[in-house]
Amino acid sequence: MAVRELKRIINASPATDGAGVRISRIAGFSATDLEPFLMIDEIRSDERDDFIAGFPEHPHRGLETLTYMKEGGFEHRDHMGNQGAIKSGGAQWMSAGKGVIHSEMPIPEAARMHGFQIWINLPRTQKMKQPEWRDAQPEELPSIILSCGEIRVIAGSWRIQDNFSTSPLNRLAQSAGLLDISLLPNGKLDLPLEQDRQAAIYVYNGRVHMGSTLQAGQLGILGAGERLQLSADKGGADFLLLAGEALHEPVAHYGPFVMNTHDEILTAVKDYQEGKLTA
């Protein structure tokens, strides 16, 4: 079976979002070969001033968000009455559909923060569906111990060691999924990966080798293939593996709205301004 190779590398860059939260933008809307993933951000700081302002109430339409916290945590509140906090090791999924107004604010006890948020595109046929939200606490997420390290199944369903492991966050658009993988020093990983899924790796600690080398702060977009084979260097490595089915649909984007046409974006803005976004 064909082994996936690195197609290109993207370096994360500093940015701000929300009410001035300092983040690293791993990938943005210009990475068209990353679909169905639209944007990937990392927040990582030991300074409360970098994240304490959080993400006050704001709207979304036409996309999904997946938030995964390694340290610290956020509390989600939305117009539907959903409320829940995810802490170290937890994750949450929100499918905005036709419209969500929500906030994501740091939990009061957070002294440091390390986590990720991923935006996933909804297909044209689902952009105006009813919104959904679901969180998963750390103990709900499957963890698989291998001789080379550990794999945590954050979202989706994955074949690992000839068995399927499924996260409770398993309804993401385009069969999108996320693994958090920790490899021991010189650990070698061999995973099956469906041919019809786009895939990418983001290294947040250490270095990963797969022909070329990915180091911390780099996203590697993978080419086609049916297997993923890679290894960590002598210091070990921690990285995210993202996979999902491509959409091949036009993308129109403005702030928190992702639709297919400019006219649909204008409608979303107008609906929000007139209080109709969630109607």
Side-chain angles (χ1 to χ4, degrees), residues 48 51-52 72-75 85-88 105-111 113:
R48 281 175 60 84
F51 58 79
I52 197 62
F74 281 96
E75 182 181 57
I86 54 168
K87 301 181 181 181
S88 302
M105 301 301 292
I107 57 176
E109 62 268 31
M113 198 74 75

Side-chain angles (χ1 to χ4, degrees), residues 94-128:
M94 184 183 75
S95 186
K98 68 178 184 178
V100 164
I101 298 175
H102 79 139
S103 64
E104 294 167 294
M105 301 301 292
I107 57 176
E109 62 268 31
R112 61 178 57 89
M113 198 74 75
H114 185 202
F116 304 89
Q117 186 169 92
I118 300 166
W119 285 20
I120 304 149
N121 201 6
L122 279 167
R124 185 193 303 270
T125 56
Q126 296 181 30
K127 285 191 179 292
M128 296 299 288

Side-chain angles (χ1 to χ4, degrees), residues 41-243:
D41 289 339
E42 180 178 23
I43 177 171
R44 191 172 193 173
S45 178
D46 294 335
E47 300 293 333
R48 281 175 60 84
D49 286 347
D50 288 345
F51 58 79
I52 197 62
F55 303 87
E57 189 173 274
H58 60 281
H60 284 293
R61 173 177 282 180
L63 72 152
E64 299 187 336
T65 63
L66 176 65
T67 305
Y68 170 48
M69 297 306 302
K70 296 285 293 180
E71 289 187 274
F74 281 96
E75 182 181 57
H76 166 100
R77 295 173 183 259
D78 63 40
H79 78 279
M80 298 176 288
N82 294 314
Q83 178 179 344
I86 54 168
K87 301 181 181 181
S88 302
Q92 67 175 15
W93 162 73
M94 184 183 75
S95 186
K98 68 178 184 178
V100 164
I101 298 175
H102 79 139
S103 64
E104 294 167 294
M105 301 301 292
I107 57 176
E109 62 268 31
R112 61 178 57 89
M113 198 74 75
H114 185 202
F116 304 89
Q117 186 169 92
I118 300 166
W119 285 20
I120 304 149
N121 201 6
L122 279 167
R124 185 193 303 270
T125 56
Q126 296 181 30
K127 285 191 179 292
M128 296 299 288
K129 73 181 184 71
Q130 292 295 321
E132 299 176 80
W133 175 85
R134 203 260 202 218
D135 65 0
Q137 299 306 321
E139 61 273 12
E140 297 180 75
L141 299 174
S143 179
I144 299 97
I145 304 299
L146 306 174
S147 59
C148 62
E150 180 182 5
I151 298 177
R152 297 193 73 225
V153 182
I154 309 305
S157 183
W158 298 79
R159 186 154 61 91
I160 302 168
Q161 286 190 325
D162 298 322
N163 294 308
F164 279 95
S165 293
T166 301
S167 164
L169 305 180
N170 193 38
R171 297 178 57 199
L172 281 65
Q174 300 305 109
S175 300
L178 177 69
L179 297 179
D180 183 13
I181 301 176
S182 296
L183 291 185
L184 297 169
N186 301 311
K188 295 182 179 180
L189 179 69
D190 186 336
L191 276 181
L193 198 55
E194 292 90 337
Q195 176 73 33
D196 61 351
R197 301 179 87 191
Q198 302 256 62
I201 287 172
Y202 177 69
V203 180
Y204 61 89
N205 283 321
R207 291 156 61 96
V208 167
H209 308 289
M210 45 184 309
S212 301
T213 298
L214 281 173
Q215 59 188 8
Q218 290 186 323
L219 177 79
I221 298 178
L222 306 183
E226 297 166 298
R227 298 201 73 81
L228 176 66
Q229 294 179 344
L230 51 78
S231 62
D233 68 6
K234 61 182 180 181
D238 302 299
F239 58 94
L240 303 180
L241 173 59
L242 305 86

